Amino acid sequence: MFQQESRRNRKQEVYDAIHAVSIKQDNLQIIREPIVCNEEAMDWEPTEPDFDDNDDPDMCGEYCKEIFRNEKKREDTWVLSTRLSDKKTKLRVSCIDWLTEVCTTWKLATDTLFVAVLYLEKALSSLDYTLDDMQAISGTCLFLAAKMEEVQAIPIRDIVEIAPGTSVPIIKAYEKQILTALNYQMVTPHLMLFVRRFNSIAGADLETHNLSKYLATLVLRHQGHCSGLQSVLGAAVCFMARRIMGKTELEAWPIRQTTYS
């Protein structure tokens, strides 16, 4: 859904419509005349940014608005308030670093990492486990996330090879427990989903989007990652990335962005 800036910066916003163009019939000269703002002029309907994707059936542009409306409704179920002990917190960060390294080495999709971390957060807040179990739980979360996000799922024996102290029966046992903890709700409104959406609406360039992705990856390591709504975290990440790139506050979060967020 993320498109380049040239495709997104094509619609005129209401505050840009301060002049009307009329053409003199005699010499075809263009004359600009100011428009007096009134209530009708301010009652504007924003142009849906996904219309550009209607010609691409893979993008499902006509359903995008409804999809994200539904995702925002489901966010509350992924807000977790469980606090881990100091030892478990440190090991949790190590597990997320391990997941990041595996996803990078195996060239998995970015969404796979973010979904795996959400599964991990849910598992750590719901299951009874010891410190020795966290490696197996992390591998199982990656195994499940790859099933959802990758074209080809990761073989379970590959997970066993990279996760010390695990085995196929252990992974299968934790798979059942994590699915129960998730209530079999496998589709997650994860952070990168909203980052990609907000950057797409704003027409962010590739450099800004990549910076947003990097900042979002750093957020994963924070224990409060799931203590708030993923859409709010995504908005904060995008805003910070644009400010770092030199945008003003209004440019970093324009009026049009507020309409779709």
Side-chain angles (χ1 to χ4, degrees):
M1 282 181 282
F2 177 76
Q3 303 293 331
Q4 292 193 3
E5 188 175 11
S6 59
R7 293 192 60 196
R8 289 302 185 190
N9 294 339
R10 83 286 183 199
K11 298 298 181 183
Q12 173 182 318
E13 294 189 319
V14 66
Y15 292 106
D16 295 330
I18 59 175
H19 291 91
V21 178
S22 62
I23 301 179
K24 272 189 168 183
Q25 298 297 328
D26 53 348
N27 55 9
L28 298 181
Q29 292 181 349
I30 296 179
I31 301 175
R32 298 184 180 272
E33 299 175 353
I35 290 179
V36 179
C37 292
N38 51 45
E39 293 184 0
E40 293 183 358
M42 296 301 293
D43 186 17
W44 64 292
E45 181 67 22
T47 303
E48 175 58 49
D50 302 302
F51 285 168
D52 275 358
D53 298 327
N54 283 351
D55 295 333
D56 187 351
D58 293 333
M59 299 302 291
C60 302
E62 63 270 27
Y63 303 114
C64 192
K65 194 172 184 179
E66 295 180 18
I67 289 172
F68 278 91
R69 185 185 296 116
N70 181 63
E71 291 300 303
K72 292 192 71 173
K73 289 180 180 178
R74 298 173 56 247
E75 282 186 285
D76 291 338
T77 60
W78 292 90
V79 176
L80 308 175
S81 57
T82 304
R83 303 294 295 182
L84 304 177
S85 63
D86 292 340
K87 289 184 177 180
K88 288 184 177 180
T89 297
K90 293 180 181 179
L91 193 53
R92 170 193 168 277
V93 174
S94 299
C95 289
I96 292 177
D97 289 342
W98 177 77
L99 288 172
T100 304
E101 182 179 356
V102 172
C103 288
T104 302
T105 302
W106 287 356
K107 298 181 179 179
L108 303 179
T110 305
D111 291 37
T112 302
L113 171 62
F114 283 82
V115 171
V117 172
L118 270 187
Y119 290 170
L120 177 63
E121 301 280 16
K122 195 77 167 182
L124 296 182
S125 66
S126 304
L127 305 182
D128 293 328
Y129 60 92
T130 64
L131 295 177
D132 296 334
D133 298 329
M134 292 186 70
Q135 183 77 65
I137 294 174
S138 300
T140 307
C141 290
L142 179 61
F143 179 60
L144 289 171
K147 287 184 177 182
M148 293 298 297
E149 300 296 335
E150 298 295 329
V151 176
Q152 183 175 359
I154 301 173
I156 190 171
R157 294 196 176 276
D158 289 354
I159 298 293
V160 173
E161 289 180 3
I162 63 171
T166 62
S167 63
V168 172
I170 291 177
I171 296 295
K172 288 184 177 181
Y174 273 120
E175 183 179 18
K176 293 179 181 179
Q177 294 183 44
I178 294 173
L179 286 174
T180 302
L182 295 172
N183 196 24
Y184 289 85
Q185 298 297 317
M186 303 290 289
V187 179
T188 63
H190 56 85
L191 177 58
M192 184 50 60
L193 187 72
F194 292 103
V195 169
R196 190 178 293 112
R197 172 67 168 170
F198 293 150
N199 279 336
S200 175
I201 293 170
D205 56 32
L206 186 59
E207 188 175 6
T208 302
H209 182 60
N210 287 336
L211 178 58
S212 300
K213 290 169 63 177
Y214 171 72
L215 294 175
T217 305
L218 295 182
V219 171
L220 292 180
R221 304 177 79 253
H222 195 275
Q223 187 172 354
H225 166 240
C226 285
S227 61
L229 298 176
Q230 297 295 293
S231 61
V232 176
L233 286 175
V237 164
C238 293
F239 181 82
M240 182 179 293
R242 295 167 199 168
R243 290 288 284 162
I244 293 174
M245 295 301 294
K247 301 290 186 181
T248 64
E249 288 189 6
L250 185 58
E251 292 173 335
W253 201 260
I255 296 172
R256 184 184 189 209
Q257 188 87 57
T258 305
T259 305
Y260 289 97
S261 60

